[in-house]
Amino acid sequence: GAGLARGYLNRPELTAEKFVPDRFGGAPGGRLYRTGDLVRYRDDGNIEFLGRLDHQVKIRGFRIELGEIEAALTVHPEVREAVVAAREDGAGGQRLVAYLVPAAAAAPAAEELRRFLKERLPEYMVPAAWVVLDGLPLTPNGKLDRKALPEPEAAAAPTDAAAPRDPLEEIVAGLWADVLQRDAVGIHDDFFELGGHSLLALRLIAEIERRLGKRLPIGRLFEFPTISAMSAFLRTQGDLPAASCLIGIRPRGARSPLFFVPGAGGWIGYLHPLVHCLDPEVPFYAFQAEGLDGSSAPHTDIDVMAAHYVDLLQEVQPSGSFRLAGHSFGGQVAFAMAQLLSARGHEVEQVAIIDTPAPDAVLPEAAGPADDGQLLIEVVRLLFDLARRESTLSPQDLDGLDATQRLAAAARHLEGAALCPEGAGADFLRNLTDTYKAHLGMHGRRRPADAPLVPITLFRGEEGFRNQPPALDEALGWRRHSSRPVRLHRVPGNHITMMTPPHVETLARILGSTLT
């Protein structure tokens, strides 16, 4: 309106950023001022103030409005005031820390607050650490002094944590506390609910091996995500059968399970953002590829791989209607699994194919790099892409090095970027690269003939993906393999970023809507 200021004195860049053209039907030449307030319309037409845009943070790619968490916390009857901040998590990233002023002498338990927030907010917006204060620090003019908020370790946190019961649980609890940067961890607390993620999981596994001399396959962490369960596994390690490559990332839920095959390399660590955004009542199982833990050779035939996965799947769900999904190369494996299940007389409710063409619509020679050095660079780049970072590793960095030296250089590159714990990168990268290479060797070589048609839902990244030949059609060649018209959904991002925050939220929402 006419009373709007001209701009900021002697700050033309800030003026251009904050004073913008009015595109909402105002007077010609009119301008608007960006206040920095975040609001939303309510159903009754009123506007609700949520917080400040300058209090937005990014946690593992998720854009989070801190004020929205604070508003949800203060609804709790035992919380008088709450402030949420982002702090370093020790792995090159950040975690959410909630600072509470209780309404009474006793603060509510951390687990109670987590449950309370999970009913109102996505899981990635639930703080990983909790700090109780007598009062919030204020500036001389009475405003909140965020810089004076203490580090989580410097104050007591509300907790109902169960204490370790024996020396092994005490050691494991100490390792968890170090990795998660917490004063104490209860033996029944969930690693991922406390703010753990795939990078911290790698660091935890490396610490367990260093301290206890026990090698813990990463898939086992998803099966035993508490100190109690992990300690029980470590006590009997060596007496248990070989770990299954079918991992119950979230094995409990009232609805039918979803079985997911990850992309080439078969590493399930990057699936956690998707799992966290899906309905918690949908059990989620993922297939971590043979060969990734170094205890067996990778599969080299898709049909053999699919048959192995189906056998494992039917140990969890012997019969009924099956729901499968796969990303990238994993989509072709999920399709082969669905055909096998159908041929065995089972009903396949849906195969969700995420951004990959039908097996007879891709040329084998277009699957990926053939040179081992280029392959190593490609794997490293994929890991950086999944972390929403940019890799600077180049062919020149590997020139003149033998295979062992190349691997060591690539591992140092990962470790230096905090994408792998120090000393743990080489083994992880060697197994991942070998498995990735085996999967690329299968990509596009299966030519399904008169196999059963199965119901297909296709998800495509809006930005496309690299190393992929032009699609035959919009449905990427899947129409001739589907028992119904292919349901096509577009998701923001490219082949990789559609699986990472914030785009994975859209993928999860649409995928969840198809899991009726």
Side-chain angles (χ1 to χ4, degrees), residues 84-101:
V84 179
R87 299 286 194 182
E88 292 293 325
D89 67 2
Q94 291 186 312
R95 59 175 176 161
L96 293 174
V97 178
Y99 298 87
L100 310 173
V101 178

Side-chain angles (χ1 to χ4, degrees), residues 11 22 96 119 164 170-171 225 261 269 299 331 337 385 431 446:
R11 301 187 66 184
D22 182 357
L96 293 174
E119 295 173 357
E170 188 171 348
I171 292 172
V261 186
H299 282 110
M337 293 170 63
D385 285 349
N431 296 337
R446 181 174 184 264

Side-chain angles (χ1 to χ4, degrees), residues 113-124:
L113 291 171
R114 288 193 198 99
R115 287 194 298 266
F116 181 80
L117 286 185
K118 284 182 180 180
E119 295 173 357
R120 293 160 173 80
L121 299 172
E123 190 166 347
Y124 61 82

